[in-house]
Amino acid sequence: MRKFFGTDGIRGLTNQVPMTAEVAMRVGMAAGAHFLRGTHKHRVVIGKDTRLSGYMLENALVAGFTSVGMDVVQVGPMPTPAIAMLTRSMRADLGVMISASHNPFRDNGIKLFGPDGYKLSDEDEAQIEHLLTVEPKLADAGHIGRAKRIDDARGRYIHAVKQSLPESVRLDGLRIVLDCANGAAYNSAPTVFWELGADVVAIGVEPNGTNINDKCGSTAPALLQESVVASGADIGIALDGDADRLIVVDEKGTIIDGDQIMGLIGASWARQGRLKGGGVVATVMSNLGLERFLEGEGLRLERTKVGDRYVLERMKEGGFNVGGEQSGHMILSDHATTGDGTLAALQLLAELVAAGKPASELLHQFDPVPQLLKNVRFAGGKPLDDKQVIAAIAEGEAALNGRGRLVIRPSGTEPLIRVMAEGDDAGQVEQVVDMICDAVRAAAA
């Protein structure tokens, strides 16, 4: 049983375990010790989003890493995928992103990347967990690491993201509303689109330490919808706090989720001969409509557990180059080792330019099957082991009878049970979800 690592690194409420300065310093010591391999001078890249607590955790991590003999490169507020990219390009042994992604500013987290730019394996995380429980081996006085800030990291990332498009592709004539969630991409993302010729209306670009994801960004798209319609924009793009995911809004203000984006890119790349693996990788949460659409294109949908790390693992195993989550994580492995909202947006905009169609037409690849997700909070215990809950789930599966899907799972970051059902009959889907939620609430009481 893990004490610190969840489905996406370590995350929690600031100044409560595990998100304290003390734990962060020990994470630096443990992760640093784990990656001290060979006799070369070791290096770690540390980035963060715009949360107030980022200063505290960054300094604690620097103390931990340098104390075991690792040099530290600090790059300041940068998107999570930028840290993955810089870790590889700088030949670092480790990359660290301080962020709680789409969560409120009171939360924070620590994500770790290996020297290849990929998130750490379960095995690496387990070994670091173990090292957190033992006394660290500190470097002697002459071998303590150094810390250095570099100023051109943002420019390196902007250049790398733009390189994902052919030089012939420009965004001239496109008016784009871009919501950066007052987060890590507040500076880099508007610059990328502007340099490619777009007319950019930027919102969520005034971070103050406490307004990250506050009524803005990919998890609160109402501001983006309103701004797109009011400004007569062709499309709206919302990133989350660490810019590893996106949600899109068409010119009419309609929200487009990750399933439609995966459908568009997967089918288009297949027609161009660019798609690898014969399909797309997504999680169990992706809509049945996406699966049916891809089958109609002669492609398959491979499903994994929830979490972009599991999507990426399957992509690597099966040789796929397009994958993601309904929530907007898009992994395009020809260009990046993790989800990248800015990069995915560029691929989407390239399709829009090539098609010459309105976003509302291009981005409606299929009609989603009615799908409903509800969360039930619980105080403790294991509600999913309760006999009444097990019986309710069996009854729900029997009701859907092969014409839909049922996914019940605990959240990896909060004390929640997520209950999702989908099927062709919206009324039946709602009945099934409510029945199971009632059973979970009773078991959790």
Side-chain angles (χ1 to χ4, degrees):
M1 180 68 181
R2 295 184 183 202
K3 181 180 177 183
F4 295 105
F5 284 93
T7 54
D8 195 13
I10 304 170
R11 191 177 294 185
L13 188 63
T14 300
N15 268 347
Q16 294 185 20
V17 175
M19 277 299 104
T20 65
E22 180 183 4
V23 172
M25 185 172 71
R26 290 192 67 88
V27 169
M29 291 174 173
H34 180 62
F35 280 91
L36 284 173
R37 303 165 180 174
T39 57
H40 65 280
K41 190 59 180 173
H42 293 80
R43 177 185 295 162
V44 56
V45 177
I46 299 181
K48 60 184 179 178
D49 64 21
T50 56
R51 291 163 213 269
L52 183 62
S53 56
Y55 296 99
M56 175 185 79
L57 296 172
E58 180 183 28
N59 286 323
L61 282 161
V62 169
F65 281 115
T66 53
S67 73
V68 296
M70 244 191 193
D71 285 349
V72 177
V73 176
Q74 296 164 270
V75 299
M78 292 282 285
T80 289
I83 302 308
M85 182 273 290
L86 288 166
T87 300
R88 279 200 308 171
S89 70
M90 296 184 70
R91 311 298 194 269
D93 301 273
L94 184 64
V96 181
M97 178 66 182
I98 305 167
S99 175
S101 190
H102 57 280
N103 286 23
F105 88 94
R106 292 177 179 82
D107 293 336
N108 216 330
I110 299 171
K111 302 181 186 182
L112 302 175
F113 293 92
D116 56 2
Y118 288 99
K119 290 181 180 177
L120 297 191
S121 66
D122 289 340
E123 292 74 22
D124 277 324
E125 288 184 350
Q127 290 179 45
I128 292 171
E129 280 258 355
H130 169 69
L131 289 171
L132 284 167
T133 67
V134 301
E135 198 63 29
K137 183 181 179 183
L138 302 179
D140 62 54
H143 293 91
I144 290 172
R146 301 173 185 269
K148 177 183 180 181
R149 290 191 178 274
I150 61 171
D151 299 323
D152 65 342
R154 187 179 295 128
R156 298 188 197 191
Y157 172 66
I158 289 169
H159 177 73
V161 169
K162 287 167 58 184
Q163 289 292 101
S164 70
L165 290 183
E167 288 192 11
S168 59
V169 176
R170 292 189 56 85
L171 306 180
D172 298 84
L174 275 186
R175 170 168 275 202
I176 302 167
V177 178
L178 178 62
D179 182 352
C180 296
N182 291 314
Y186 77 95
N187 188 296
S188 60
T191 303
V192 167
F193 297 123
W194 176 79
E195 288 189 4
L196 289 169
D199 176 9
V200 181
V201 179
I203 58 178
V205 290
E206 297 180 352
N208 63 14
T210 63
N211 61 359
I212 186 170
N213 301 315
D214 186 14
K215 301 182 182 65
C216 59
S218 63
T219 51
L223 176 64
L224 179 65
Q225 292 174 282
E226 179 185 317
S227 300
V228 166
V229 174
S231 63
D234 298 292
I235 194 169
I237 296 160
L239 305 172
D240 68 336
D242 68 336
D244 66 351
R245 72 168 77 176
L246 81 163
I247 288 293
V248 176
V249 168
D250 69 23
E251 81 282 1
K252 297 177 181 178
T254 303
I255 295 172
I256 311 296
D257 67 13
D259 285 346
Q260 296 283 358
I261 298 169
M262 282 187 282
L264 171 64
I265 293 177
S268 176
W269 283 20
R271 288 190 288 270
Q272 298 171 42
R274 296 169 60 192
L275 190 70
K276 299 172 185 174
V280 170
V281 180
T283 76
V284 292
M285 301 303 287
S286 276
N287 196 276
L288 190 58
L290 172 62
E291 190 170 337
R292 293 173 178 173
F293 166 74
L294 290 173
E295 287 173 354
E297 295 285 322
L299 304 171
R300 69 182 189 275
L301 179 68
E302 294 253 342
R303 294 187 184 270
T304 73
K305 292 190 293 184
V306 172
D308 59 320
R309 64 185 299 165
Y310 301 112
V311 171
L312 186 56
E313 283 174 9
R314 181 68 195 110
M315 290 174 68
K316 290 167 74 175
E317 289 168 3
F320 296 87
N321 62 345
V322 175
E325 295 186 280
Q326 186 186 58
S327 60
H329 277 116
M330 296 291 118
I331 303 174
L332 305 174
S333 59
D334 288 349
H335 306 293
T337 56
T338 189
D340 189 329
T342 307
L343 190 148
L346 285 184
Q347 302 304 313
L348 192 65
L349 293 170
E351 298 289 342
L352 194 63
V353 169
K357 298 177 180 178
S360 56
E361 183 179 341
L362 180 68
L363 297 176
H364 188 85
Q365 294 287 300
F366 60 89
D367 291 324
V369 169
Q371 185 184 77
L372 182 63
L373 169 66
K374 291 189 177 181
N375 298 321
V376 182
R377 190 169 290 274
F378 65 99
K382 296 182 178 180
L384 294 183
D385 292 343
D386 183 84
K387 291 181 180 178
Q388 298 302 318
V389 174
I390 293 170
I393 292 171
E395 185 179 341
E397 288 176 337
L400 292 172
N401 192 28
R403 296 188 301 276
R405 294 190 313 122
L406 191 58
V407 180
I408 296 99
R409 66 180 187 90
S411 166
T413 57
E414 301 176 82
L416 297 174
I417 301 296
R418 304 195 192 279
V419 180
M420 189 277 278
E422 62 181 358
D424 294 319
D425 185 336
Q428 183 186 53
V429 166
E430 186 169 10
Q431 286 177 352
V432 167
V433 169
D434 287 342
M435 174 187 66
I436 295 170
C437 286
D438 289 343
V440 172
R441 285 191 197 95

